[in-house]
Amino acid sequence: MTITREDIAAFADGELSGERETEVAAAVTGDAELAQQVQRHRALKAMLAEHYAPVLGQCQITSVMVATKIAIASSIRRYARPRRPRPARRPPW
């Protein structure tokens, strides 16, 4: 079983679930280097969260997310409309 950087990040962020989470947790428990990588990822995440907290507090993130979802949904509806069937073409002979 290979543990990738993405697995470490997802595990540290609590984004893994099920069997993969169990596998990564066992690997981290048994390997000091992996445990250190998880700790470094969590420390970096905490540092970034602390650094950007004032900026994020000023933004209307939820408004932007809602507007983005509405725009995506409307474009999906526009392109996913059922099309009228074309009349069958008669053979040229």
Side-chain angles (χ1 to χ4, degrees):
M1 159 183 64
T2 303
I3 306 297
T4 64
R5 279 196 249 162
E6 291 79 12
D7 290 330
I8 294 295
F11 177 75
D13 293 341
E15 295 176 358
L16 288 181
S17 61
E19 184 179 322
R20 188 62 181 162
E21 181 182 21
T22 306
E23 291 172 356
V24 174
V28 167
T29 303
D31 187 347
E33 176 60 31
L34 289 177
Q36 188 178 26
Q37 288 179 25
V38 169
Q39 186 59 31
R40 283 193 308 247
H41 181 82
R42 288 179 177 157
L44 176 63
K45 181 179 177 183
M47 181 186 71
L48 290 173
E50 181 182 340
H51 179 76
Y52 286 107
V55 176
L56 291 176
Q58 296 172 2
C59 294
Q60 296 296 328
I61 297 295
T62 53
S63 301
V64 172
M65 289 173 55
V66 168
T68 303
K69 287 180 182 179
I70 290 171
I72 290 171
S74 68
S75 66
I76 288 173
R77 280 193 300 271
R78 181 173 56 236
Y79 292 110
R81 285 187 194 144
R83 297 177 186 244
R84 291 184 301 181
R86 292 183 179 179
R89 297 182 89 187
R90 294 180 60 181
W93 64 84

